[in-house]
């Protein structure tokens, strides 16, 4: 929850990438829910970054993003 990815905060990007890798490598994960703030300021650049990250989730049929 409250991912807050932003090009100005590389630590948040790294954290999200690690979480996605963990999700993708865990066969017991059936559903992924991303809730809270997806980015810091709601800029187009931040939404594009968030989209790029979440497209890496291999369980795409079971991903729910709530904003």
């Amino acid at each position: 929850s409250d991912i807050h990815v932003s090009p100005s905060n590389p630590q948040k990007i790294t954290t999200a990438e690690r979480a996605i890798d963990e999700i993708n490598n865990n066969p017991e994960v059936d559903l992924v829910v991303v809730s809270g703030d997806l980015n810091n300021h709601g800029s187009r650049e931040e939404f594009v970054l968030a989209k790029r990250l979440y497209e890496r989730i291999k369980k795409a049929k079971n991903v729910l993003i709530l904003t």
Side-chain angles (χ1 to χ4, degrees), residues 28-63:
E28 295 182 14
V29 173
D30 294 325
L31 173 68
V32 178
V33 177
V34 181
S35 66
D37 299 331
L38 299 179
N39 53 48
N40 280 340
H41 305 290
S43 70
R44 178 173 171 74
E45 181 181 25
E46 289 178 337
F47 276 108
V48 168
L49 173 60
K51 182 178 185 288
R52 179 183 60 81
L53 285 169
Y54 301 126
E55 285 177 339
R56 291 184 50 219
I57 299 173
K58 293 178 183 172
K59 301 169 187 298
K61 292 182 182 176
N62 297 313
V63 177

